[in-house]
């Protein structure tokens, strides 16, 4: 039995084959939390899928979330009675679901839960993320009690950012797992 089980939480529309999350899944055997509908994400459904995945872990979970997955972690942590089963979370490029352009597309996700996370966390944010202003990401990190890592100008930290296997991100994850 491993000390931690890594759960991957992709964002809206899932992570494609060249996304660092997919590469980590293939290279390290991390578990992707599947959703019933990646195109029309319903908050309650996504939270239940995460709850079931955490309960199904054979060891403490470490969450690795991207975009809407970060918002999912915050919402889940605010309502679940099983947060003690999570050791830490790596939150990458949170999506700003409170933006006017996104509210009609993701109606069940606003407002963003702002409670402090009950486990150690790191939030990685880009200075030119088209889906979340750096200042908003800073505020989320502060509200969630997450250590903020400035990724510089790296877009949405997804496949379009050409991160490959994103070794710097994996080093952050390894640090969280070692805590």
């Amino acid at each position: 039995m491993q000390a931690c089980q890594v759960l991957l939480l992709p964002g809206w529309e899932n992570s494609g084959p060249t996304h660092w999350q997919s590469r980590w899944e293939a290279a390290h055997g991390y578990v992707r939390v599947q959703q019933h509908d990646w195109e029309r994400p319903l908050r309650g459904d996504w939270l239940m899928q995460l709850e079931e995945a955490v309960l199904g872990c054979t060891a403490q979970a470490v969450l690795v979330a991207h975009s809407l997955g970060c918002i999912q972690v915050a919402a889940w942590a605010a309502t679940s009675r099983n947060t003690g089963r999570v050791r830490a979370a790596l939150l990458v490029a949170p999506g700003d679901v409170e933006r006017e352009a996104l509210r009609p597309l993701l109606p069940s996700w606003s407002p963003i839960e702002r409670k402090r996370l009950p486990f150690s966390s790191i939030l990685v944010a880009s200075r030119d993320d088209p889906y979340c202003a750096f200042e908003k990401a800073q505020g989320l990190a502060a509200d969630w009690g997450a250590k903020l890592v400035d990724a510089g100008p790296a877009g949405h930290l997804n496949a379009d950012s050409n991160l490959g296997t994103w070794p710097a991100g994996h080093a952050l994850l390894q640090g969280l797992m070692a805590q």
Side-chain angles (χ1 to χ4, degrees):
M1 188 181 302
Q2 57 191 105
C4 299
Q5 188 164 355
V6 176
L7 298 178
L8 300 171
L9 304 168
W12 182 22
E13 299 179 339
N14 204 348
S15 293
T18 60
H19 193 287
W20 57 267
Q21 281 186 318
S22 298
R23 292 174 189 250
W24 289 7
E25 180 180 21
H28 306 289
Y30 300 155
V31 176
R32 181 183 306 245
V33 176
Q34 294 296 331
Q35 299 299 337
H36 293 119
D37 193 340
W38 292 104
E39 304 299 316
R40 291 175 299 282
L42 298 174
R43 181 179 171 140
D45 184 48
W46 278 41
L47 299 186
M48 184 54 67
Q49 292 297 102
L50 176 52
E51 181 80 1
E52 289 179 10
V54 167
L55 289 173
C57 285
T58 57
Q60 256 192 322
V62 174
L63 309 178
V64 178
H66 180 259
S67 196
L68 186 60
C70 300
I71 309 308
Q72 175 188 17
V73 169
W76 174 82
T79 59
S80 176
R81 294 182 181 173
N82 294 296
T83 58
R85 297 176 66 99
V86 172
R87 183 176 195 150
L90 178 63
L91 309 167
V92 182
D96 183 359
V97 295
E98 295 174 337
R99 290 171 67 179
E100 286 303 318
L102 288 180
R103 281 186 190 182
L105 301 171
L106 303 167
S108 64
W109 290 94
S110 187
I112 296 172
E113 183 58 61
R114 302 290 185 131
K115 289 181 185 165
R116 185 176 188 85
L117 297 176
F119 38 78
S120 179
S121 59
I122 294 173
L123 188 150
V124 183
S126 168
R127 293 240 170 217
D128 62 353
D129 188 335
Y131 300 107
C132 185
F134 187 77
E135 295 74 23
K136 176 80 171 225
Q138 282 179 307
L140 292 174
D143 292 343
W144 294 339
K147 175 186 173 189
L148 179 68
V149 173
D150 183 343
H156 193 47
L157 296 162
N158 58 6
D160 292 339
S161 300
N162 297 315
L163 298 172
T165 59
W166 195 31
H170 201 255
L172 292 171
L173 174 61
Q174 294 299 310
L176 279 170
M177 292 172 70
Q179 287 181 0

